[in-house]
Amino acid sequence: MSYLERGKPELAEQAWQVARQTDTRHIEAIYNYGLYEWRAARLFVDRAATARSQTITQWWPTWSQSAC
């Protein structure tokens, strides 16, 4: 998100991709990248969006428990 705040969306996208490749359950990267795509009108309710949502839902209990 800091890359976006500094006006460097390309670097932000690269960072999200690296985070998601490193950890396919990286909740923040999935959420922030999805939100970025939606705000940029690149994300529509489709299979990709549904898959991201299911990933977050599937791993949220595990992530929230480990974050405590």
Side-chain angles (χ1 to χ4, degrees):
M1 294 303 294
S2 64
Y3 283 128
L4 281 181
E5 292 170 359
R6 291 186 270 164
K8 300 179 179 181
E10 300 85 14
L11 292 176
E13 287 190 53
Q14 289 175 2
W16 285 318
Q17 294 302 329
V18 168
R20 292 173 61 209
Q21 289 171 359
T22 303
D23 180 2
T24 58
R25 299 179 293 174
H26 196 286
I27 301 297
E28 294 90 346
I30 294 168
Y31 175 80
N32 288 331
Y33 186 60
L35 183 61
Y36 169 74
E37 286 188 307
W38 178 71
R39 287 182 176 170
R42 294 190 319 199
L43 179 67
F44 302 97
V45 178
D46 60 8
R47 290 183 189 175
T50 302
R52 286 190 195 105
S53 176
Q54 289 172 345
T55 300
I56 291 171
T57 304
Q58 179 182 4
W59 297 108
W60 178 258
T62 304
W63 178 81
S64 63
Q65 290 172 0
S66 66
C68 295

